[in-house]
Amino acid sequence: MKPTSEILERMEKCSETYKDGIFTRLYRYLLREDIYHAAYQKLYANKGATTQGIDNDTADGFSDKYVKDLICSLQEGTYKASPVRREYIPKHNGKLRPLGIPSFRDKLLQEVVRMILEAIYEPTFHKHSHGFRPQKSCHTALRQISSDFTGVAWFIEGDIKGCFDNIDHEKLIEILDRKIKDSKFLNIIRQFLKAGYIENWQYNKTYSGCPQGSICAPILANVYLNELDKKFEEISLRFSKPRSAYQTPEYHAVNKEMKRLSYWIDHTTDEIERQELIKQYKEQRESLRNIPCKPADNKKFTFVRYADDWLVGVCGTKQECEELKAEIANFLSTELKLTLSEEKTLITHSSEKVRFLGYNICVRRNQEVKGYRMKNGTWRQSRSLHLKVALTIPHTEKIEKFMFAKGVIRQRENGEFQPIHRAGLLNMSDCEIVEQYNAEARGLCNFYNLAVDYHTLDYFCYLMEYSCLKTIANKHKSSIRKTIRKYKDGKTWSVPYETKTGTKRVKPVKIADCKRGKVDDVIFTRKKFNWKTTIRQRLNAKVCELCGTKNAELYEVHVVRNLNELGNSYWEIAMKQKRRKTLVICSKCHKEIHKH
């Protein structure tokens, strides 16, 4: 029997070759044991794997029997999705976002369903969609904006009211049914959508929406909003129109005159006449830089979507943008049963900054002439920044807000920022304090790696470094000067720490350490892991990794949230020595662990 991984790869290739292909008999793949072990291998390491839903079921206690019982309930048709536990997490604007925490059994099945849906739909998604997709990220979306939005005159900022909470279940099932002809498989998805939630010990039904926190929610939302991408593509094909000419008549006339003057400069013998021609040539070249090169009668519609956030770029009039916005709003309300927020969906001129994915975005109007060398070695001059997209950092709203929230700085009466110590880090070692600051600084520097004003983060790194020094100095009742002198390392300072291979040092992050090309982008990828031994292989070995018992009746997986939280009991020492968050042990040892 072929492994399910090979079947999924074949499905993905078929979907890529035949975009409108139909898939049938998918339910049978839910009855294969190997796909559940592959799903568990992806889930157990997540921090949420040990978080309980409405019952005590977590990633801890996984076994072959656990998988067989789940498959048996699917075969007999007795499987029923449990309601999720409703929690609320704070949003950046102060409001709360509802989060649904399913039981682990449902998480496991949802991961299997997600793997199948991803194999089918991923090749069919639009290239301008970047949210929650393999090999896609915020950075890929921003890079596409940098290239595709060149020269646009208007931005339409998209905002859908409560998109994830208002997805119509029947419409979603209808969209899935166009490509998946398997009622039993779709009924499982319907169960996840209709499972309801428990809040304050009270059951509530769900009539719409994909619960955020569900494993399936991102892929189902992308399937749903892919219809919006198709609408955007349809508008683009209808609206876009090329320029009427390669150059404006005025630009062409001056350029032609410059070529004539250039010819006579090279062929005249009279030096006085030649100098006069050169003077005329320079005057024409100067006037050429103030004349539009290309006619502005072209029409263009381009877009980028990241989950439920989207940005449209339009070359056209504001009236046309108003009509396009109304058309999109009408499509969302009639076809997808979603509402476009009139207050937040703004039409902005591209010379002004709009906020998208944490960046400020605008199209430059810069007439500055810059020189550059072409591939053939010739030197050219042009208005290279004119009508190009500029990605900039919103310092006040993001960087300064971050530092105030973390307690890194305070503001003096004159408006200057002063780095301060962080009392919450005083219990850490000096090395851990530096690592904490480095992780935070590197994260922001990495995220804003694409900004044209990236160099301005140098001041941010300076404030983080001196807040770090003040924290270490405060811990030792010392001063910054003494701390730098104590940890001096060449032209900078660094804190030493011991490892098995010897002494190493950790130094504060500078902007030069994070410049472009040195820091990897954060991309959500579908990695093909090559584990030396998988959970399934360890279960099939039938050896308790704690007491060594062979061929016991039942072997289970014991999972911990974090190795750093372990104590000094015999099983905790065994996990730390193996440097694993999992132990495959017999049921007797598992019961003993949970007694203490």
Side-chain angles (χ1 to χ4, degrees):
M1 186 170 65
K2 285 185 178 181
T4 309
S5 59
E6 290 185 14
I7 295 172
L8 293 178
E9 287 178 11
R10 191 180 66 201
M11 288 167 59
E12 189 169 0
K13 287 179 182 177
C14 288
S15 185
E16 189 172 1
T17 307
Y18 307 101
K19 300 289 185 184
D20 299 324
I22 304 296
F23 291 83
T24 60
R25 301 178 63 203
L26 297 178
Y27 192 79
R28 57 182 171 158
Y29 300 128
L30 302 181
L31 310 178
R32 298 169 66 102
E33 291 186 22
D34 63 332
I35 196 170
Y36 289 94
H37 286 89
Y40 183 81
Q41 195 81 44
K42 293 183 179 181
L43 290 177
Y44 82 84
N46 297 335
K47 291 183 178 179
T50 54
T51 304
Q52 296 179 356
I54 62 168
D55 51 22
N56 296 325
D57 188 19
T58 66
D60 183 51
F62 178 80
S63 63
D64 288 335
K65 183 178 181 298
Y66 188 95
V67 173
K68 288 174 182 175
D69 289 345
L70 178 54
I71 291 174
C72 184
S73 67
L74 290 168
Q75 283 177 325
E76 295 173 356
T78 58
Y79 172 82
K80 187 176 180 182
S82 304
V84 300
R85 179 166 63 87
R86 174 65 65 88
E87 292 287 340
Y88 291 91
I89 56 175
K91 297 170 71 174
H92 66 278
N93 58 5
K95 296 181 180 179
L96 296 175
R97 174 182 283 115
L99 187 70
I101 304 173
S103 67
F104 187 75
R105 183 190 67 153
D106 293 340
K107 282 184 183 179
L108 192 65
L109 183 56
Q110 284 182 27
E111 175 61 21
V112 172
V113 171
R114 187 202 65 78
M115 290 165 67
I116 295 171
L117 289 176
E118 190 176 90
I120 293 171
Y121 282 98
E122 180 57 34
T124 68
F125 287 151
H126 201 281
K127 64 180 180 180
H128 289 193
S129 167
H130 296 264
F132 311 118
R133 293 183 59 193
Q135 306 298 329
K136 298 282 188 178
S137 69
C138 292
H139 280 190
T140 60
L142 292 162
R143 284 195 186 99
Q144 189 159 51
I145 289 172
S146 293
S147 60
D148 291 2
F149 281 53
T150 300
V152 299
W154 301 93
F155 292 130
I156 305 177
E157 306 170 61
D159 186 270
I160 301 171
K161 288 184 179 178
C163 178
F164 285 92
D165 297 330
N166 293 304
I167 289 176
D168 187 85
H169 291 168
E170 296 309 314
K171 182 65 180 179
L172 175 58
I173 296 297
E174 178 199 325
I175 293 169
L176 291 167
D177 187 56
R178 296 172 193 170
K179 201 167 185 65
I180 299 174
K181 300 297 182 183
D182 188 334
S183 59
K184 292 176 75 176
F185 183 82
L186 294 180
N187 283 337
I188 293 293
I189 297 175
R190 188 181 276 107
Q191 279 200 50
F192 294 145
L193 296 172
K194 299 287 187 182
Y197 63 94
I198 302 292
E199 186 177 8
N200 297 326
W201 305 100
Q202 186 175 356
Y203 174 76
N204 300 272
K205 291 183 178 181
T206 48
Y207 299 99
S208 65
C210 288
Q212 297 183 56
S214 165
I215 305 294
C216 283
I219 185 74
L220 291 176
N222 271 336
V223 169
Y224 198 76
L225 292 175
N226 190 50
E227 300 301 304
L228 178 61
D229 295 341
K230 291 177 181 177
K231 179 63 178 178
F232 284 151
E233 184 67 23
E234 175 199 321
I235 293 173
S236 178
L237 292 173
R238 184 190 74 234
F239 182 84
S240 298
K241 185 183 73 173
R243 291 183 174 88
S244 58
Y246 179 72
Q247 293 178 341
T248 58
E250 298 83 2
Y251 190 94
H252 179 72
V254 175
N255 199 25
K256 188 176 179 181
E257 177 64 15
M258 285 177 61
K259 288 180 180 179
R260 187 187 72 80
L261 291 170
S262 178
Y263 174 83
W264 287 111
I265 288 170
D266 293 338
H267 291 82
T268 188
T269 55
D270 188 348
E271 185 60 28
I272 298 174
E273 185 180 353
R274 185 173 179 274
Q275 290 301 323
E276 181 62 28
L277 290 170
I278 290 173
K279 182 181 177 181
Q280 293 178 26
Y281 180 87
K282 288 182 178 179
E283 290 174 355
Q284 292 291 339
R285 186 176 64 183
E286 194 63 33
S287 67
L288 189 70
R289 291 170 181 169
N290 298 317
I291 299 172
C293 175
K294 299 182 185 298
D297 58 352
N298 64 312
K299 303 290 183 184
K300 181 180 177 181
F301 181 98
T302 186
F303 73 97
V304 164
R305 182 176 66 81
Y306 188 94
D308 59 333
D309 295 326
W310 48 270
L311 183 68
V312 167
V314 179
C315 283
T317 64
K318 189 173 183 179
Q319 178 61 33
E320 288 171 328
C321 292
E322 295 282 0
E323 293 170 1
L324 290 170
K325 176 184 169 182
E327 183 179 351
I328 294 166
N330 181 59
F331 173 81
L332 286 170
S333 61
T334 57
E335 295 295 325
L336 298 182
K337 309 294 189 294
L338 295 173
T339 306
L340 194 67
S341 173
E342 289 292 331
E343 310 82 46
K344 295 182 180 179
T345 304
L346 307 175
I347 298 173
T348 310
H349 195 266
S350 62
S351 59
E352 300 175 16
K353 293 178 180 178
V354 298
R355 182 71 51 78
F356 188 68
L357 299 180
Y359 277 73
N360 283 337
I361 302 171
C362 68
V363 177
R364 295 172 174 177
R365 268 65 177 180
N366 190 329
Q367 299 291 337
E368 183 182 357
V369 177
K370 291 192 174 184
Y372 63 96
R373 193 174 297 280
M374 299 182 69
K375 291 182 179 179
N376 60 6
T378 57
W379 184 259
R380 291 290 179 86
Q381 289 183 323
S382 68
R383 294 169 289 187
S384 55
L385 298 179
H386 187 54
L387 298 180
K388 293 294 190 295
V389 176
L391 306 176
T392 56
I393 304 169
H395 282 275
T396 304
E397 298 86 349
K398 297 294 181 181
I399 307 300
E400 292 174 13
K401 189 176 179 181
F402 170 83
M403 289 192 288
F404 279 121
K406 293 291 183 181
V408 173
I409 58 172
R410 67 182 171 197
Q411 196 165 18
R412 294 173 174 167
E413 292 182 359
N414 61 2
E416 292 181 355
F417 296 129
Q418 179 185 10
I420 57 176
H421 80 276
R422 292 165 68 177
L425 303 182
L426 294 178
N427 292 329
M428 295 182 176
S429 67
D430 292 359
C431 173
E432 289 172 335
I433 291 172
V434 178
E435 286 286 8
Q436 178 68 28
Y437 274 93
N438 282 358
E440 293 167 354
R442 195 181 291 113
L444 275 176
C445 289
N446 187 18
F447 183 73
Y448 287 109
N449 199 254
L450 302 177
V452 295
D453 56 346
Y454 180 71
H455 62 280
T456 58
L457 288 177
D458 191 38
Y459 185 51
F460 161 71
C461 289
Y462 160 80
L463 292 172
M464 292 290 284
E465 179 183 354
Y466 273 81
S467 174
C468 178
L469 282 167
K470 283 197 172 184
T471 304
I472 296 174
N474 188 275
K475 176 185 174 182
H476 297 290
K477 308 299 180 186
S478 181
S479 66
I480 289 179
R481 183 176 299 216
K482 290 179 181 179
T483 302
I484 294 174
R485 191 182 301 128
K486 176 183 177 181
Y487 291 126
K488 187 169 178 60
D489 183 15
K491 292 184 178 180
T492 183
W493 61 276
S494 61
V495 177
Y497 64 97
E498 297 297 327
T499 66
K500 291 181 180 179
T501 57
T503 304
K504 294 186 177 180
R505 306 184 75 92
V506 56
K507 61 182 182 179
V509 165
K510 308 281 187 182
I511 193 171
D513 302 324
C514 301
K515 63 184 178 183
R516 296 179 186 181
K518 287 196 175 182
V519 180
D520 296 330
D521 293 340
V522 179
I523 298 180
F524 296 100
T525 59
R526 181 174 52 188
K527 297 179 181 177
K528 294 185 178 179
F529 294 100
N530 294 315
W531 290 280
K532 292 180 180 178
T533 51
T534 63
I535 295 291
R536 190 180 191 191
Q537 289 171 335
R538 290 162 65 191
L539 284 168
N540 289 340
K542 296 190 180 300
V543 176
C544 178
E545 295 175 354
L546 206 54
C547 68
T549 301
K550 296 182 179 180
N551 298 317
E553 185 178 341
L554 178 64
Y555 289 93
E556 298 174 319
V557 181
H558 179 65
V559 182
V560 296
R561 183 184 178 90
N562 199 326
L563 289 176
N564 295 333
E565 299 172 358
L566 294 177
N568 294 315
S569 63
Y570 71 100
W571 63 270
E572 290 172 313
I573 292 172
M575 293 190 83
K576 285 193 283 188
Q577 287 175 343
K578 292 176 182 290
R579 297 180 68 184
R580 276 178 168 165
K581 294 167 68 174
T582 58
L583 275 178
V584 174
I585 53 179
C586 61
S587 57
K588 182 181 177 182
C589 288
H590 204 199
K591 289 176 183 176
E592 286 294 323
I593 287 174
H594 283 285
K595 278 184 182 179
H596 302 289

